[in-house]
Amino acid sequence: MKDAVEVEFRVRDTSYPFVDASRAEDCRLDLEVLFPHSEAGFVEYFTLEGARPERVLEAVDRSDDVDAELVARHEDGGRLRFHVRERCVARSVVEFGAIPRTVEADGGDGRVVAEVSSRADADELVERFETEHPTVTVDDSRDRQRSTPLFTHHDFKQTVIDALTDRQREVFLTAYMNGYYDWPRKHEATELADELGISPATFSQHLRAVEGQLFSILLDTDDECVFVE
């Protein structure tokens, strides 16, 4: 077992769109995934519970720093895509090198839990937040034990991320989060390619490149596939 430190931040400042939207519509938003946008900022996918997606999108659209759209509609909410160009608590966590364990907002009460490897890193992360997000407060800082298998879930994700270009990550996660790999497919390649401003052929090429990288990492090989008749 290895020690880790979790730092929990409280975000009640409604200048953060995910907090403002959760307060305005008395709903819950949970961050599923985030990754760099190929042009600028970050793309974030949130799960919404307890409100109509259209109402939440209206609340988010009040911010000049975020573009938001509906990806999927659920019985009690949906999945939303945010393109965040400026100030973002999750982005600060990732750029610091910490693991964002939780990023959520419920009824205007935002919560961010970041995991770092030491007390020194925790103190440095808090100092960074004091500079970049002065209205965000530290709610708790706690030591915890974590198991350390040879190849952890986070290490695997980071290896995959590092192996891909920004554009490849954007294409792959856009496809995955928009139901391209579902059966039946929720969106076709032509729709998603148009959303990304690329041709369907380029979209498919990026996906094939990503899939090749994933299989190479999973199978621990850089060999080219050879088919024997």
Side-chain angles (χ1 to χ4, degrees):
M1 303 291 284
K2 182 180 179 181
D3 291 332
V5 181
E6 284 186 344
V7 184
E8 183 169 336
F9 298 95
R10 193 67 62 178
V11 191
R12 295 189 176 92
D13 185 349
T14 54
S15 67
Y16 293 93
F18 78 110
V19 174
D20 184 40
S22 75
R23 179 200 58 80
E25 298 304 320
D26 192 21
C27 62
R28 181 183 180 89
L29 288 164
D30 286 282
L31 182 66
E32 290 184 87
V33 66
L34 78 160
F35 57 94
H37 192 279
S38 60
E39 296 177 3
F42 270 68
V43 174
E44 303 176 345
Y45 283 89
F46 281 90
T47 298
L48 164 68
E49 295 180 3
R52 290 174 53 198
E54 293 80 5
R55 297 291 299 273
V56 174
L57 292 176
E58 289 176 9
V60 174
D61 282 342
R62 292 197 292 264
S63 172
D64 295 331
D65 297 332
V66 180
D67 295 324
E69 62 181 315
L70 175 64
V71 172
R73 188 184 303 277
H74 302 154
E75 183 177 350
D76 189 37
R79 174 180 287 158
L80 306 179
R81 177 184 184 271
F82 290 9
H83 176 196
V84 183
R85 290 180 293 276
E86 297 296 336
R87 204 172 53 134
C88 172
V89 287
R91 176 178 181 172
S92 293
V93 170
V94 171
E95 289 181 343
F96 181 80
I99 302 173
R101 292 298 185 191
T102 303
V103 179
E104 63 185 18
D106 193 348
D109 186 13
R111 179 171 166 262
V112 176
V113 179
E115 182 182 300
V116 293
S117 58
S118 69
R119 276 285 165 187
D121 287 340
D123 292 341
E124 189 177 341
L125 179 60
V126 169
E127 289 180 6
R128 177 167 182 161
F129 264 67
E130 288 174 346
T131 301
E132 297 182 0
H133 309 282
T135 61
V136 174
T137 58
V138 179
D139 201 49
D140 192 15
S141 180
R142 51 188 174 266
D143 296 322
R144 64 184 294 269
Q145 295 288 316
R146 64 177 177 182
S147 58
T148 55
L150 183 62
F151 203 51
T152 67
H153 177 62
H154 181 261
D155 290 336
F156 174 74
K157 288 200 298 184
Q158 194 60 50
T159 298
V160 173
I161 287 171
D162 291 343
L164 306 179
T165 66
D166 287 350
R167 194 53 157 170
Q168 287 172 344
R169 285 195 295 269
E170 185 176 18
V171 169
F172 173 66
L173 286 168
T174 296
Y176 181 79
M177 301 302 287
N178 284 271
Y180 180 78
Y181 289 101
D182 293 350
W183 185 261
R185 282 178 176 163
K186 292 185 173 66
H187 294 278
E188 295 297 329
T190 51
E191 299 175 79
L192 300 178
D194 184 61
E195 178 184 320
L196 292 166
I198 58 179
S199 70
T202 300
F203 178 86
S204 297
Q205 288 170 3
H206 280 307
L207 283 188
R208 292 298 296 271
V210 172
E211 290 161 0
Q213 288 280 14
L214 288 173
F215 281 119
S216 176
I217 292 168
L218 285 169
L219 300 175
D220 191 24
T221 177
D222 294 324
D223 297 340
E224 294 182 2
C225 293
V226 178
F227 296 93
V228 180
E229 295 184 359

